[in-house]
């Protein structure tokens, strides 16, 4: 296990112990232990474990040393597994409700006997929660809203999480001897920010073997459907997956059909009809005559001579007089019209990226040091890495004071001068936009940096007009380089604050400020639906992972998906430019 994974386990132990009402000192020990662990570099941790010297670190008592060692060497911890099993699952579930920490859950359990969300909902509705010491009507309302949100959001999953499940399944399917082709289709393939369920499509000779493999996958909790050529399962995580197996000659049609979207499919069928053709998941057949599309396709099946020559999506589009439409664009938002006129733009790709700007280190709320982050960027082959830790007003996130920022800049300059890494580090900041639109640092402080990301982290409840003016004022600041996460939304958790995106985009274009695609899988903010129009009008995009640890840098992949859905080309994304061009661009801004 990596140090961050171990820190997660320690943090979770702290939470679970608190939930059990354990001694607060013991709880504290795990929480501070987790923080102390993050401050150690990965290689140093490996050395300390090997030399049995973990105990020399401040904050690591005997119990912690033993647990860290066990996790680091075996990737498991019996103590943790037993602890988790000893707590009612309903209580752990309550932790996901915003505003409910272990202490409050403990109180709800001890004083009202609540052990699951259903009971909690009832108690809120009855007003019993509001009557409890330390709760009140406002808290009760917030809890109820949190439970409702969870129900509304609960059926969908972040694209990133879904992809991590789907990728090995596609690989597993392809490795089966019977399988000729296998793809993940549906919203996952279209790169939607959230995914309802996974859809796998397979062309195979022996269907039974594929179905049996699918229903026996690890972490499958329930087989919800099982037929000759299809199956559906639900994983322990709640995510569901559909499998369909088709004959090889149908694969292109089926892949297109099950990729969707529904709107795109409906429009394409409409187009086929105007050409006297009927399009379905089974094929493309003449529209006239009796019977449904399926019946016609089945009839054709028997007649080998008339068998369609179409085996790929590209051939399908071609048969309908269209250039190829990448899956990300298949949302029924004008892509068919554009594909008729000519070739669609070459969308930006993951391999086009040469760096990114919005990233954190242990100096603020990140979990890896400047050195570790730089090494990770170098390992990705990045030419440059921007460090933008939080500014002083973000107290929760250990925001940097002027003095600490000054020292970080010196550290970054020295790191570049030492040439230890091939990746150049840009010194920036993620500067809070104060409630009135002023920035958190004086101009003289910002002038010492290579660039400035400005973001809203407070006063989320301002009305739309105030919020919009606030952000525009920050955009107009001469030192502002880019705007961070436009709305502050957290997918499946909370909506963003209210802001007039159109006006902010106008201001950004007028002031030559970049807007980021925050690529953190739970943000993907600014939403892809705004990008096509904005970029056409001249807005520049930066795909920023907002990484808080080395593993977070890879999240740019989610950002690439999202901007592809916004039709962006390489030219419209700043971090596709080489280091020299970026340096010149920054220098020209003064
Ligand atoms: P999701 O799972 O909610 O994130 O969204 P999708 O797009 O993956 O939807 P899903 O899993 O229900 O179906 C996969 C694809 O199959 C969908 O994108 C288009 C196609 N499809 C499913 N049902 C229909 C339908 O009733 N009409 C049409 N035209 N296409 C459908
Ligand atoms: Ca789906
Ligand atoms: Ca489905
Ligand atoms: Zn950030």
């Amino acid at each position: 296990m990596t140090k961050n994974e171990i820190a997660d386990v320690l943090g979770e132990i702290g939470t679970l112990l608190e939930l059990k009402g354990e001694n607060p000192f013991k709880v504290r020990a795990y929480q501070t232990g987790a923080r102390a662990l993050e401050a150690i570099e990965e290689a140093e941790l490996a050395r300390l474990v090997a030399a049995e010297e973990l105990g020399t670190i401040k904050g690591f008592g005997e119990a912690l040393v033993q647990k860290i060692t066990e996790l680091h060497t075996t990737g498991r911890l019996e103590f943790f597994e037993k602890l988790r099993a000893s707590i009612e699952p309903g209580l752990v579930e309550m932790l996901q409700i915003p505003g409910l920490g272990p202490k409050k859950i403990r109180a709800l359990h001890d004083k009202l006997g609540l052990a699951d969300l259903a009971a909690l909902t009832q108690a809120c509705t009855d007003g019993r929660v509001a009557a409890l010491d330390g709760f009140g009507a406002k808290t009760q309302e917030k809890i109820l809203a949190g439970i409702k949100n969870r129900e509304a959001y609960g059926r969908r999953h972040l694209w990133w999480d879904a992809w991590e499940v789907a990728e090995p399944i596609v690989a597993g399917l392809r490795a089966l001897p019977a399988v000729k082709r296998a793809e993940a289709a549906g919203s996952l393939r279209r790169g939607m920010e959230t995914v309802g369920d996974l859809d796998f499509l397979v062309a195979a000779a022996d269907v039974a073997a594929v179905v049996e493999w699918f229903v026996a996958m690890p972490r499958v909790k329930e087989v919800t459907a099982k037929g000759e050529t299809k199956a559906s399962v639900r994983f322990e995580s709640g995510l569901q997956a559909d499998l369909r197996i088709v004959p090889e000659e149908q694969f292109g049609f089926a892949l297109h059909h099950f990729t969707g979207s529904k709107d795109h499919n409906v429009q394409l069928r409409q187009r086929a009809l105007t050409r006297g053709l009927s399009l379905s998941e089974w094929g493309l057949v003449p529209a006239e005559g009796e019977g449904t599309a399926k019946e016609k396709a089945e009839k054709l099946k028997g007649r080998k001579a008339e068998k369609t020559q179409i085996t790929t999506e590209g051939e399908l589009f071609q048969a309908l007089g269209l250039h190829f439409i990448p899956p990300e664009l298949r949302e029924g938002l004008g892509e068919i019209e554009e594909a008729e006129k000519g070739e669609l733009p070459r969308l930006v790709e993951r391999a086009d990226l040469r760096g990114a700007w919005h990233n954190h280190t242990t100096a603020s709320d990140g979990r890896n040091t400047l050195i570790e982050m730089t090494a990770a960027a170098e390992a990705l082959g990045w030419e440059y890495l921007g460090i933008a830790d939080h500014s002083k007003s973000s107290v929760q996130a250990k925001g940097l004071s002027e003095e600490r920022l000054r020292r970080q800049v010196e550290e970054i300059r020295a790191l570049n001068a030492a040439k230890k890494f091939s990746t150049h580090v840009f010194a920036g900041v993620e500067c809070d936009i104060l409630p009135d639109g002023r920035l958190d640092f004086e101009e003289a402080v910002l002038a010492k940096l290579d660039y400035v990301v400005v973001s809203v982290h407070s006063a989320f409840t301002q009305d739309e007009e105030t919020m919009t003016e606030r952000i525009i004022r920050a955009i107009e600041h001469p030192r502002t380089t880019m705007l961070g996460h436009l709305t502050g939304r957290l997918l499946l958790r909370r909506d963003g604050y209210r802001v007039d995106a159109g006006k902010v985009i106008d201001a950004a274009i007028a002031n030559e400020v970049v807007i980021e695609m925050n690529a953190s899988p739970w943000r993907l903010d600014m939403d892809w639906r705004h990008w096509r129009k904005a970029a056409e009008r001249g807005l520049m995009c930066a795909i920023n992972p907002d990484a808080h640890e080395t593993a977070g840098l890879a999240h740019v992949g989610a950002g690439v998906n999202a901007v592809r859905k916004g039709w962006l080309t390489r030219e419209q994304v700043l971090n596709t430019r080489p280091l020299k061009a970026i340096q010149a661009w920054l220098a020209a801004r003064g």
Side-chain angles (χ1 to χ4, degrees):
M1 268 196 185
T2 67
K3 69 163 191 180
N4 288 343
E5 287 166 343
I6 299 173
D8 282 341
V9 174
L10 297 184
E12 211 173 312
I13 291 175
T15 305
L16 294 179
L17 290 176
E18 202 173 358
L19 207 50
K20 286 191 93 164
E22 280 277 354
N23 173 346
F25 291 105
K26 205 165 152 189
V27 171
R28 259 307 260 284
Y30 281 97
Q31 289 161 345
T32 50
R35 296 291 84 76
L37 191 60
E38 283 165 6
I40 303 174
E41 288 184 359
E42 199 76 64
E44 175 66 1
L45 175 64
R47 194 192 64 76
L48 288 168
V49 170
E52 299 185 7
E53 283 173 9
L54 269 179
T56 61
I57 304 290
K58 193 165 163 269
F60 289 175
E62 205 177 307
L64 232 60
V65 167
Q66 181 267 322
K67 291 182 178 73
I68 295 171
T69 307
E70 189 174 333
L71 284 164
H72 192 267
T73 44
T74 69
R76 292 187 50 201
L77 182 61
E78 208 188 322
F79 169 80
F80 177 50
E81 283 159 25
K82 282 198 179 139
L83 176 65
R84 210 164 30 179
S86 74
I87 296 171
E88 287 167 272
L91 297 183
V92 179
E93 215 166 19
M94 285 186 200
L95 283 168
Q96 293 169 11
I97 307 300
L100 273 189
K103 263 197 215 84
K104 282 215 165 75
I105 297 172
R106 188 83 230 141
L108 292 167
H109 181 263
D110 291 353
K111 298 196 183 134
L112 298 178
L114 308 178
D116 58 39
L117 287 178
L120 177 58
T121 307
Q122 192 56 51
C124 285
T125 315
D126 298 348
R128 278 181 288 147
V129 172
L132 268 189
D133 248 9
F135 281 79
K138 244 186 152 166
T139 308
Q140 176 173 282
E141 218 172 281
K142 200 176 161 199
I143 293 174
L144 210 47
I147 297 174
K148 285 223 179 78
N149 258 345
R150 206 186 110 89
E151 283 165 3
Y153 290 146
R155 275 177 233 110
R156 298 193 70 81
H157 306 262
L158 294 181
W159 182 89
W160 190 270
D161 296 340
W163 177 75
E164 283 189 332
V165 175
E167 214 197 11
I169 295 178
V170 172
L173 286 167
R174 286 184 184 155
L176 296 177
V179 170
K180 298 209 174 84
R181 300 190 61 186
E183 296 284 351
S187 50
L188 186 86
R189 181 161 183 246
R190 300 199 313 281
M192 279 295 274
E193 63 272 36
T194 65
V195 168
D197 70 355
L198 304 179
D199 304 278
F200 295 99
L201 192 69
V202 165
D206 175 6
V207 292
V210 180
V211 169
E212 289 312 323
W213 181 88
F214 190 77
V215 299
M217 287 185 295
R219 280 178 291 283
V220 165
K221 192 176 172 195
E222 194 189 343
V223 177
T224 49
K226 191 174 159 192
E228 231 173 276
T229 58
K230 51 180 163 184
S232 296
V233 298
R234 185 187 295 119
F235 295 102
E236 286 159 8
S237 65
L239 182 64
Q240 304 196 49
D242 293 335
L243 167 76
R244 282 191 190 73
I245 309 169
V246 298
E248 204 177 359
E249 63 271 19
Q250 246 178 48
F251 192 83
F253 292 107
L255 179 59
H256 177 269
H257 175 84
F258 291 110
T259 295
S261 66
K262 220 176 196 168
D263 288 347
H264 168 90
N265 287 358
V266 167
Q267 291 177 17
L268 202 65
R269 276 178 196 196
Q270 209 50 49
R271 180 181 177 85
L273 279 178
T274 63
R275 308 184 143 223
L277 295 167
S278 168
L279 172 66
S280 72
E281 61 190 280
W282 299 285
L284 188 62
V285 295
E288 76 273 6
E290 291 290 302
T292 63
K294 185 179 182 183
E295 286 161 1
K296 282 185 214 162
E298 307 241 278
K299 256 189 251 160
L300 282 182
K301 243 196 238 165
R303 292 183 272 158
K304 282 266 179 331
E306 287 181 46
K307 206 177 81 180
T308 161
Q309 289 307 302
I310 298 170
T311 57
T312 66
E313 285 184 328
E315 288 159 357
L316 168 58
F317 285 123
Q318 208 176 7
L320 294 170
L322 300 172
H323 287 270
F324 183 79
I325 303 174
E328 295 91 336
L329 302 191
R330 300 183 200 164
E331 296 295 345
L333 297 172
E335 69 276 8
I336 295 177
E337 291 80 344
E338 289 302 311
E340 179 174 44
K341 283 190 227 154
E343 228 169 295
L344 295 173
R346 179 199 169 281
L347 304 178
V348 65
E349 287 169 13
R350 173 79 172 74
D352 293 331
L353 298 190
R354 298 164 187 261
W357 289 273
H358 179 174
N359 300 295
H360 299 270
T361 70
T362 43
S364 66
D365 59 349
R367 315 176 73 187
N368 287 102
T369 62
L370 169 64
I371 301 281
E372 287 176 321
M373 292 298 281
T374 311
E378 184 183 53
L380 287 173
W382 285 6
E383 293 176 30
Y384 46 89
L385 172 75
I387 296 299
D389 270 312
H390 287 285
S391 63
K392 61 188 178 193
S393 287
S394 278
V395 178
Q396 293 274 53
K398 290 201 302 173
L400 271 60
S401 65
E402 284 85 351
E403 177 53 22
R404 288 178 58 220
L405 179 61
R406 194 185 56 73
R407 270 184 284 156
Q408 187 187 48
V409 174
E410 275 174 18
E411 203 185 329
I412 290 173
R413 305 279 182 244
L415 183 66
N416 287 330
K419 293 203 185 327
K420 194 176 151 211
F421 298 104
S422 61
T423 302
H424 177 84
V425 182
F426 286 117
V429 70
E430 181 180 15
C431 190
D432 268 24
I433 302 175
L434 302 177
D436 63 1
R438 281 179 305 126
L439 297 188
D440 201 12
F441 286 130
E442 297 294 326
E443 177 150 10
V445 176
L446 298 176
K448 297 224 161 53
L449 303 167
D450 297 324
Y451 69 100
V452 176
V453 182
V454 298
S455 307
V456 168
H457 290 120
S458 61
F460 291 156
T461 55
Q462 286 177 340
D463 62 66
E464 182 173 315
E465 203 184 334
T466 310
M467 184 61 87
T468 305
E469 280 171 15
R470 170 187 183 185
I471 295 176
I472 290 176
R473 187 172 172 197
I475 284 175
E476 286 169 348
H477 191 288
R479 289 292 159 194
T480 297
T481 320
M482 48 184 89
L483 173 67
H485 44 71
L486 171 68
T487 72
R489 75 176 180 188
L490 292 177
L491 292 167
L492 307 179
R493 273 194 265 166
R494 70 163 193 234
D495 292 338
Y497 33 79
R498 283 153 298 173
V499 57
D500 185 329
K503 285 190 183 148
V504 171
I505 291 166
D506 284 341
I509 294 169
N511 291 280
E512 291 181 43
V513 162
V514 173
I515 293 185
E516 82 174 0
M517 167 54 79
N518 189 297
S520 161
W522 43 94
R523 291 188 185 270
L524 299 172
D525 184 13
M526 173 166 93
D527 192 283
W528 60 267
R529 292 159 187 85
H530 291 304
W531 276 106
R532 186 178 172 195
K533 215 169 105 206
E536 270 171 13
R537 287 166 47 216
L539 182 68
M540 182 58 79
C541 172
I543 299 175
N544 280 329
D546 197 355
H548 284 71
E549 55 184 313
T550 50
L553 294 176
H555 290 156
V556 288
V560 170
N561 280 339
V563 304
R564 283 172 67 88
K565 292 194 80 61
W567 293 63
L568 296 204
T569 64
R570 181 164 51 190
E571 292 69 32
Q572 291 160 328
V573 176
L574 190 66
N575 31 340
T576 62
R577 298 191 191 168
L579 174 62
K580 285 264 167 342
I582 296 296
Q583 285 170 322
W585 182 81
L586 287 171
R589 298 169 70 89

